[in-house]
Amino acid sequence: METMAGARSYHISCFHYLHSLSQTPHRLRKRVLATWTPDQELNQVRLRSGADMKRKLTWYDLISLGVGGMLGVGVFVTTGQVASAFSGPSVFISYIIAGMSALLSSMCYSEFSVTIPVAGGAFSYLRVTFGEFVGYFAGANILLEYVLSNAAVARTFTDYLSCTFGVEDPNSWRIKLDGFVKGYNMLDFPAVGLILLLTFFLCHSTKESSTLNLIMTIFHVVFFGFVIVAGFCNGSAENLVRPGGLAPYGVKGVLDGAARVYFSYIGYDSVSTLAEEIKYPSKNLPIGIVGSVLIVSSLYCLMALSLCVMVPYNEISDTASFSKAFQRMGWRWASNLVGGGASLGIVASLLVAMLGQSRYLCVIARARLVPSWLANVHPSTGTPLNATLFLGLCTASIALFTDLSIVIEIISIGTLLVFYLVANALIYRRYAITSNNPPMQILLFLLLLTAASIGFSLSWKLGQRRWGLPLFGGAILSITAFFHHHYAVPSDTSQATTVGWLVPLMPWPAAMSIFLNVFLMTSLKLMSFERFGIWSGFITLFYVVYGVHSTYQAEEMDLARANGVNPNLTAAQEMKMDIIQHL
């Protein structure tokens, strides 16, 4: 009897799923542009996690998390590669350009995080502004960005840890598999061990994780000071201009380098995902997000300069570049120290990034776009336990096999796209939703601004600089100035008094962020867009076959609760009752 009942239940479930697929067009029309209000995000949706996350973090926790999350990634992972192959000694200018874009994006994040202080970050901001699918698309790209970047950084940990112990070839700590494709054939067990250890730690407590990060970040910044001073005191300014000048690959190389070092700024957006765990979010979030970007940008430029002063750009190593620079100077003890300090920084950055990625997945699961068990918050620790464990295992699996160079560019394009969407969402929310201007006119402005930015970027890339740059550059300025003059919003001062913090001088900062993100995206290689296209196709297919049906049913259950109907009635039972009623 039990076997027959199980088989009947299986057939009903299959029939129900096929019935749901037949309704896909109707459900897509209903759900793709469906939005939630900030109040629903803060209350109704958050309740789906069961227990609340615990508010224990302050502004200095946020700054240390933002600084710790970025520092270990940027300087030690991308600087050597970009200096040797793209920017040369002008790699510090690449960091300045990428930092300007990150600062503008961080301002957009800050306003949203104050208005909608939930753990979903860009996913929640875009879902309440442009609808479910745009939020889901951005959230999926953010998760890919986090998992790949964390895997890449964990493998770099092995490079620097080997330098700490005086081992010149980091691959000696990896296991080579014959027959595997190059780039996937070196098993990195130290990276896997680090990820699993941090996953276990993050499952325990957010506040204790923040305290550990604060201690590591303080030591890390002191260590940065040592590297900067040692580099400038013992290097030579001649290395900045020889053998090929300050910018041996030209302005194009500097800008291409900026697109790649943008990978270095992954981390500050993790701070926005901690909104449900922060005391006084309207005050502390802007300080933590913007403050950490400013501090890190300054340190990046100084570290990049110190590296290029120590070593001519064409002799900089792609791996463990700072440690090998000190070895070249004859400071072997300093090389070991740099290896240890870099390893510590990488641990801090991984801790913050893994903290952020689990919050993103938790909120996406609350929206029922992925299985709901990933949204569970443990009642005693106040952490998203299932999401943390699931993403930790995914990250460890990729870190075990995949080489760093394979993932950096796809990380950059996903990051730039999400920051581009957040800037668009801020303009639309400020001018269409909050100020009641005609939505289609605001969307037309965003479309024209994006088109002009693409035109300018392609003109630069294809060498059409005589007519393309003045034409499209003038169009960007004219369109934004016209929009600023003709579309009014309440004054920043009056809104800031109510909301807490707003981006000043709108729409110029957000418009500049849109332009810079588009410009940097077009600097990436075609292969980056091909890989991004494959990933986008996969996540869109997942949304069509799972996400849209899951969110549709969740909405139906919410309506049933509101109307006093038993929400525990299964979807299969509901469908059977509908069939019976139509017989």
Side-chain angles (χ1 to χ4, degrees):
M1 291 295 290
E2 291 182 2
T3 303
M4 292 179 62
R8 188 180 298 112
S9 175
Y10 172 77
H11 287 304
I12 290 173
S13 298
C14 290
F15 183 65
H16 171 251
Y17 180 67
L18 292 174
H19 176 72
S20 297
L21 285 180
S22 68
Q23 295 184 326
T24 298
H26 164 71
R27 294 183 176 185
L28 285 172
R29 285 193 299 271
K30 189 170 182 180
R31 297 302 309 165
V32 165
L33 298 177
T35 59
W36 292 77
T37 66
D39 183 66
Q40 288 174 314
E41 283 283 345
L42 290 168
N43 297 296
Q44 182 178 339
V45 177
R46 189 165 64 176
L47 291 175
R48 293 177 178 175
S49 287
D52 286 338
M53 298 182 193
K54 297 179 179 180
R55 293 191 181 274
K56 293 184 176 182
L57 304 180
T58 61
W59 65 268
Y60 56 82
D61 288 311
L62 299 185
I63 289 181
S64 71
L65 286 166
V67 171
M70 287 182 276
L71 281 185
V73 179
V75 171
F76 300 120
V77 177
T78 59
T79 305
Q81 292 185 355
V82 172
S84 62
F86 294 97
S87 302
S90 59
V91 62
F92 73 95
I93 302 177
S94 297
Y95 273 114
I96 291 173
I97 295 169
M100 288 173 57
S101 182
L103 178 62
L104 293 169
S105 295
S106 72
M107 293 169 67
C108 299
Y109 264 81
S110 296
E111 180 170 328
F112 267 119
S113 66
V114 169
T115 309
I116 313 169
V118 293
F123 165 74
S124 296
Y125 310 153
L126 293 169
R127 195 163 76 113
V128 301
T129 306
F130 289 140
E132 181 175 279
F133 179 74
V134 175
Y136 162 78
F137 189 81
N141 275 288
I142 290 168
L143 286 177
L144 177 69
E145 160 209 314
Y146 270 115
V147 170
L148 291 182
S149 65
N150 291 343
V153 171
R155 288 183 71 92
T156 305
F157 170 80
T158 304
D159 294 341
Y160 275 99
L161 190 64
S162 65
C163 287
T164 305
F165 292 96
V167 178
E168 293 188 5
D169 182 14
N171 283 331
S172 63
W173 286 28
R174 300 183 176 113
I175 299 175
K176 185 175 182 179
L177 288 181
D178 295 328
F180 277 60
V181 178
K182 184 179 180 181
Y184 301 90
N185 61 339
M186 301 298 293
L187 300 187
D188 196 328
F189 287 102
V192 172
L194 174 63
I195 291 169
L196 294 180
L197 180 64
L198 291 178
T199 299
F200 174 78
F201 200 87
L202 289 169
C203 289
H204 182 260
S205 171
T206 301
K207 180 61 179 176
E208 279 69 18
S209 299
S210 174
T211 302
L212 175 63
N213 173 78
L214 178 61
I215 295 169
M216 289 192 294
T217 300
I218 291 172
F219 279 105
H220 200 202
V221 171
V222 172
F223 158 73
F224 264 47
F226 163 76
V227 173
I228 292 168
V229 172
F232 281 117
C233 290
N234 295 278
S236 172
E238 292 184 3
N239 289 332
L240 294 176
V241 293
R242 67 176 176 86
L246 183 63
Y249 301 102
V251 178
K252 185 178 184 299
V254 174
L255 296 173
D256 288 347
R260 285 158 182 81
V261 300
Y262 208 95
F263 168 80
S264 312
Y265 290 93
I266 293 175
Y268 79 79
D269 55 319
S270 298
V271 175
S272 68
T273 68
L274 301 171
E276 294 180 25
E277 300 162 83
I278 298 166
K279 299 175 182 177
Y280 315 115
S282 62
K283 172 187 174 184
N284 291 331
L285 273 167
I287 296 174
I289 296 174
V290 177
S292 61
V293 171
L294 289 172
I295 293 170
V296 167
S297 296
S298 302
L299 289 172
Y300 278 168
C301 293
L302 292 173
M303 287 287 284
L305 269 173
S306 71
L307 177 64
C308 293
V309 165
M310 284 191 286
V311 184
Y313 79 92
N314 59 330
E315 298 177 23
I316 294 175
S317 172
D318 286 348
T319 60
S321 52
F322 282 88
S323 287
K324 292 180 180 178
F326 278 106
Q327 284 182 11
R328 190 175 181 277
M329 289 170 52
W331 289 24
R332 191 168 186 84
W333 63 271
S335 173
N336 296 346
L337 179 64
V338 169
S343 301
L344 186 68
I346 287 170
V347 172
S349 70
L350 267 178
L351 181 72
V352 177
M354 293 175 68
L355 194 69
Q357 71 180 12
S358 60
R359 272 69 183 166
Y360 269 118
L361 184 58
C362 174
V363 176
I364 293 172
R366 285 178 186 171
R368 299 298 187 259
L369 288 161
V370 295
S372 59
W373 60 271
L374 291 167
N376 294 341
V377 173
H378 196 277
S380 60
T381 63
T383 59
L385 183 65
N386 293 344
T388 303
L389 289 172
F390 175 76
L391 289 176
L393 291 174
C394 290
T395 305
S397 300
I398 295 173
L400 181 62
F401 291 96
T402 311
D403 190 64
L404 170 67
S405 60
I406 293 173
V407 299
I408 284 183
E409 288 196 356
I410 193 171
I411 295 168
S412 293
I413 192 172
T415 306
L416 290 166
L417 176 68
V418 172
F419 292 168
Y420 160 81
L421 289 173
V422 170
N424 277 272
L426 181 63
I427 292 176
Y428 185 82
R429 182 167 185 79
R430 182 85 79 89
Y431 284 86
I433 298 175
T434 305
S435 304
N436 296 318
N437 290 306
M440 291 306 298
Q441 294 181 18
I442 309 303
L443 289 174
L444 178 61
F445 162 69
L446 294 174
L447 179 63
L448 291 174
L449 178 61
T450 298
S453 300
I454 293 173
F456 183 96
S457 304
L458 291 179
S459 296
W460 175 270
K461 189 176 184 69
L462 300 176
Q464 302 296 328
R465 300 173 187 175
R466 180 172 298 179
W467 62 269
L469 298 188
L471 174 65
F472 291 110
I476 292 169
L477 295 174
S478 301
I479 291 167
T480 307
F482 177 84
F483 181 82
H484 178 65
H485 180 72
H486 284 81
Y487 292 92
V489 292
S491 68
D492 291 344
T493 304
S494 62
Q495 280 198 33
T497 302
T498 305
V499 176
W501 193 88
L502 293 174
V503 177
L505 305 175
M506 282 287 285
W508 291 101
M512 184 60 68
S513 178
I514 290 171
F515 165 72
L516 284 174
N517 285 313
V518 170
F519 188 85
L520 293 175
M521 272 192 282
T522 59
S523 300
L524 297 172
K525 293 179 181 178
L526 179 61
M527 185 175 292
S528 300
F529 289 90
E530 292 173 349
R531 291 172 178 170
F532 175 73
I534 293 171
W535 172 248
S536 298
F538 172 77
I539 60 178
T540 301
L541 179 64
F542 183 83
Y543 178 77
V544 170
V545 300
Y546 177 85
V548 68
H549 305 291
S550 180
T551 58
Y552 181 88
Q553 291 170 5
E555 183 187 36
E556 293 298 309
M557 292 180 69
D558 288 340
L559 290 174
R561 288 191 186 94
N563 295 327
V565 179
N566 181 11
N568 293 320
L569 191 64
T570 66
Q573 290 172 318
E574 289 178 351
M575 189 194 68
K576 287 172 65 179
M577 292 175 64
D578 289 340
I579 294 172
I580 292 170
Q581 289 174 359
H582 285 85
L583 291 177

